[in-house]
């Protein structure tokens, strides 16, 4: 298959982790005989420094010419420390999500068996955890007006949701539940927010078309406690933009590191694949960032194009690196392996199961096997 991928490494550790993901995609190309082509664009602070804008027309055009986008991370300390900055790196990402119409951000959360013992949570609590968050990605408070009064003493952020914003992502979440444990949890603050009351009304109405899926609606403050006390109770979680952002970072504690969680942002057109973590500027250039979230995002990219076996090969190479302790210091503080070494290990372990089988046969035929 031919796939043209726009690479948007962004800021901080973004370029390093995207480079590892590309190594893995190249290994998939070679192993499974595909042709992936790449073009790289600027976004975020990297783009502001060169063009004055967080997202240029050039980058938008590059994405529209591609079949998929692989995004790294966004944000820089200089802007975090300056609330008065007129142009902010993060706006580049919000504009791009809008531009591509990727209204649903899918964030799977599962526990890697080899990391069960390393999680800050007890093994007994974690066992069986396997859920997926459907975060609404192009609406709500992220995308409303953000105002500061002229005298700088009053700030306003507007959250708006329409019925159709809610319904399109809700349908995707219900469909996903059907293929899983048939349970959907809507997270809201409908005791406080009008937008949340609309979410509840719309999602309850839609649930009538999915009678086989059990719908549960819970308040955000309750949900975040339950996610730590009893994470295996969740199957599919549906949440508005801001709540989805917050709960997915909390969910990353379950797996042991925010550096492990991938995501797919989908809509009606081109899909974008992005690790859930931020740009971790303190680690930039130090070869310590965990590339696994971005590598697993490429596994989601491959799955998006129906390349199931290829996607599984990436996931199993990641599992092997965790199993063999070829990991970055966020997983094992004593580890001597850097971002690039972990990327090399995973890329070199991407194998076609059919090929490995035929290699075994050849060994047997040549009398090399120690089994016979
Ligand atoms: C994410 C990130 C972004 C977001 C930041 C970097 C603006 O945290 O993708 O979850 O809040 O959406
Ligand atoms: Mn986030």
């Amino acid at each position: 298959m031919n796939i043209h991928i726009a690479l948007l490494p962004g800021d901080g550790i973004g370029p390093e982790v995207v480079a590892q993901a590309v190594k893995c995609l190249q290994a998939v190309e070679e192993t499974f005989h595909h042709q992936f082509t790449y073009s790289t664009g600027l976004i975020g602070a990297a783009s502001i420094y060169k063009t004055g804008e967080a997202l240029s027309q050039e980058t938008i055009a590059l994405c529209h010419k591609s079949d998929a986008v692989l995004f790294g991370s966004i944000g820089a300390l200089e802007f975090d420390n300056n609330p008065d900055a007129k142009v902010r790196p993060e706006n580049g990402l919000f504009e791009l999500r809008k531009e591509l119409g990727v209204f649903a951000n899918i964030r799977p959360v599962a526990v890697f068996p080899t990391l069960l013992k390393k999680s800050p949570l007890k093994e007994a609590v974690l066992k069986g955890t396997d859920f997926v968050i459907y975060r609404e990605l192009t609406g709500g408070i992220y995308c409303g007006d953000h105002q500061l009064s002229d005298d700088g003493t009053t700030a306003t952020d507007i959250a708006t949701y329409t019925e159709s914003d809610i319904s399109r992502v809700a349908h995707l979440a219900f469909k996903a539940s059907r293929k899983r444990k048939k349970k959907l949890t809507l997270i809201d603050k409908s005791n406080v927010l009008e937008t949340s009351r609309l979410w509840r009304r719309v999602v309850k109405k839609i649930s009538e078309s999915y009678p086989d899926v059990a719908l549960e609606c819970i308040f955000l403050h309750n949900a975040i406690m339950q996610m730590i006390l009893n994470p295996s109770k969740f199957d599919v979680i549906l949440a508005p933009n801001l709540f989805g952002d917050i709960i997915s970072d909390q969910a990353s504690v379950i797996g042991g590191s925010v550096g492990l969680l991938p995501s797919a942002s989908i809509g009606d057109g081109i899909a974008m694949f992005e690790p859930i973590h931020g740009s971790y500027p303190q680690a930039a250039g130090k070869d310590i960032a965990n590339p696994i979230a971005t590598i697993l995002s490429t596994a989601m990219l491959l799955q998006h194009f129906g390349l199931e076996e290829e996607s599984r090969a990436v996931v199993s190479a990641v599992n092997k690196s965790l199993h063999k302790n070829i990991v970055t210091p966020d997983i094992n503080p004593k580890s001597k392996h850097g971002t690039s070494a972990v990327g090399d290990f995973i890329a070199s372990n991407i194998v076609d199961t059919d090929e490995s089988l035929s290699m075994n046969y050849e060994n047997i035929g040549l009398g090399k096997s120690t089994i016979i």
Side-chain angles (χ1 to χ4, degrees):
M1 181 182 272
N2 292 346
I3 307 177
H4 185 68
I5 303 168
L7 302 174
L8 304 184
D11 305 323
I13 57 168
E16 295 161 62
V17 292
V18 167
Q20 309 318 311
V22 171
K23 282 180 192 168
C24 295
L25 284 169
Q26 284 167 340
V28 168
E29 282 184 71
E30 280 166 29
T31 312
F32 294 89
H33 314 293
H34 295 299
Q35 211 199 348
F36 304 153
T37 47
Y38 310 89
S39 38
T40 305
L42 291 170
I43 191 166
S47 174
I48 297 176
Y49 299 140
K50 283 225 165 155
T51 69
E53 295 173 304
L55 179 70
S56 63
Q57 284 306 321
E58 197 181 327
T59 298
I60 294 175
L62 183 141
C63 293
H64 281 305
K65 272 189 248 143
S66 308
D67 302 309
V69 179
L70 180 64
F71 173 83
S73 58
I74 212 157
L77 287 176
E78 181 195 328
F79 296 90
D80 293 347
N81 295 332
N82 176 14
D84 296 325
K86 291 272 172 298
V87 191
R88 305 199 66 82
E90 291 80 2
N91 287 349
L93 180 57
F94 307 147
E95 283 166 33
L96 183 63
R97 288 170 176 167
K98 276 248 175 216
E99 179 67 39
L100 299 179
V102 287
F103 58 81
N105 180 232
I106 304 166
R107 301 186 157 186
V109 179
V111 187
F112 291 95
T114 45
L115 294 184
L116 261 178
K117 289 196 166 48
K118 291 191 174 166
S119 170
L121 301 181
K122 286 193 188 121
E123 201 175 330
V125 172
L126 290 178
K127 268 225 153 103
T129 297
D130 175 11
F131 60 86
V132 57
I133 299 169
Y134 274 67
R135 167 188 175 193
E136 198 289 327
L137 199 62
T138 50
I141 202 159
Y142 268 67
C143 304
D145 262 1
H146 307 287
Q147 298 282 351
L148 184 67
S149 63
D150 290 342
D151 65 0
T153 61
T154 308
T156 312
D157 296 292
I158 305 285
T160 305
Y161 268 116
T162 65
E163 196 177 320
S164 68
D165 292 337
I166 300 167
S167 122
R168 59 189 182 176
V169 64
H171 276 290
L172 291 182
F174 273 107
K175 284 182 187 139
S177 324
R178 271 196 167 154
K179 294 199 187 127
R180 298 175 47 101
K181 290 174 262 171
K182 300 188 172 48
K183 183 173 174 194
L184 180 70
T185 305
L186 169 68
I187 293 180
D188 65 32
K189 278 291 276 184
S190 58
N191 53 344
V192 182
L193 303 174
E194 200 55 56
T195 44
S196 283
R197 287 191 274 275
L198 183 65
W199 270 83
R200 232 178 234 223
R201 230 176 281 130
V202 172
V203 171
K204 279 194 169 163
K205 182 91 195 107
I206 291 174
S207 78
E208 290 167 15
S209 319
Y210 299 87
D212 49 330
V213 177
L215 172 68
E216 165 192 57
C217 302
I218 56 178
F219 297 145
L220 174 67
H221 50 235
N222 178 7
I224 58 175
M225 283 194 299
Q226 300 214 29
M227 193 175 281
I228 295 301
L229 293 171
N230 188 10
S232 63
K233 73 166 252 157
F234 294 104
D235 178 22
V236 177
I237 292 176
L238 172 63
N241 205 342
L242 178 63
F243 300 166
D245 177 55
I246 297 168
I247 54 162
S248 52
D249 272 32
Q250 182 184 262
S252 74
V253 175
I254 292 170
S257 169
V258 70
L260 294 172
L261 293 195
S263 85
S265 301
I266 63 164
D268 299 321
I270 304 160
M272 175 152 94
F273 300 85
E274 38 180 326
I276 81 150
H277 60 67
S279 61
Y280 193 9
Q282 298 83 350
K286 293 194 179 149
D287 198 36
I288 55 169
N290 193 338
I292 288 181
T294 316
I295 292 173
L296 289 176
S297 299
T298 66
M300 293 185 86
L301 181 155
L302 295 165
Q303 199 179 25
H304 177 77
F305 288 98
L307 303 177
E308 297 287 343
E309 197 190 342
E310 290 80 342
S311 174
R312 275 197 303 273
V314 173
V315 175
S316 93
V318 166
N319 277 326
K320 190 162 177 190
S321 81
L322 295 170
H323 186 65
K324 298 250 173 212
N325 217 2
I326 314 285
V327 291
T328 43
D330 54 317
I331 304 286
N332 173 11
K334 292 199 190 108
S335 175
K336 299 266 181 300
H337 304 288
T339 310
S340 184
V342 172
D344 285 339
F345 180 87
I346 296 173
S348 61
N349 278 282
I350 290 174
V351 289
D352 176 349
T353 43
D354 284 350
E355 267 176 29
S356 61
L357 275 179
S358 58
M359 268 168 54
N360 286 346
Y361 285 133
E362 195 191 10
N363 283 349
I364 291 166
L366 293 171
K368 284 179 187 164
S369 170
T370 50
I371 302 167
I372 50 169

